[in-house]
Amino acid sequence: MASTKLAFLAVAVLLLQASWCAMAQQAGTAAVMALTSFEDGDPAACDGNYHSDGDLIAALSTVWFAGGSMCHRRIRITNSLPNGLNLVAEVVDECDTQSGCKDNMIATSKRVWDALGLDTNIGEVPVTWSIA
């Protein structure tokens, strides 16, 4: 009985992850973007390496990271300002919800913030993202 419940739970989690990824592919998914450094702390989950904050890179929340299935995928990030600037960044890491990331969060390098014309002192900004 317990193994049946566990199997059902595993299938439900996989379906939830698939639906999140499908939503992101169809249209921009609303998110909160935060600034992070990929040069220190733990190495990136996708490849075990550190990355330059001068690169266009991102970390997705645990749900969106989908167990690593988003590793090295390119995503389009659009800022919420009237100019609607957008760019394509590579997913290199998980923004772990157990370490404080919200379910709707992406963390990005300083280069992403600069390219989107955002002030890094703001802390968090609303954006949308989609599979590029």
Side-chain angles (χ1 to χ4, degrees), residues 85-108:
L85 291 177
N86 68 82
L87 55 77
V88 174
E90 179 183 356
V91 176
V92 297
D93 203 3
E94 174 183 8
C95 189
D96 190 356
T97 53
Q98 292 183 354
S99 299
C101 266
K102 301 170 190 157
D103 284 334
N104 67 334
M105 183 168 276
I106 60 174
T108 58

Side-chain angles (χ1 to χ4, degrees), residues 51-64:
H51 295 269
S52 170
D53 292 334
D55 294 337
L56 295 171
I57 51 178
L60 295 178
S61 68
T62 299
V63 172
W64 291 335

Side-chain angles (χ1 to χ4, degrees), residues 24 59 62 74 77 89 102 109:
T62 299
R74 296 168 57 83
I77 303 169
K102 301 170 190 157
S109 64

Side-chain angles (χ1 to χ4, degrees), residues 12-87:
V13 168
L14 289 173
L15 289 173
L16 177 62
Q17 289 176 345
S19 68
W20 276 109
C21 289
M23 284 179 8
Q25 290 175 17
Q26 292 172 2
T29 300
V32 174
M33 187 173 76
L35 177 68
T36 194
S37 175
F38 294 87
E39 296 179 355
D40 52 26
D42 292 331
C46 291
D47 57 17
N49 293 320
Y50 292 94
H51 295 269
S52 170
D53 292 334
D55 294 337
L56 295 171
I57 51 178
L60 295 178
S61 68
T62 299
V63 172
W64 291 335
F65 190 68
S69 68
M70 291 296 293
C71 279
H72 305 292
R73 299 281 306 265
R74 296 168 57 83
I75 61 171
R76 180 168 307 283
I77 303 169
T78 304
N79 74 23
S80 60
L81 298 176
N83 65 20
L85 291 177
N86 68 82
L87 55 77

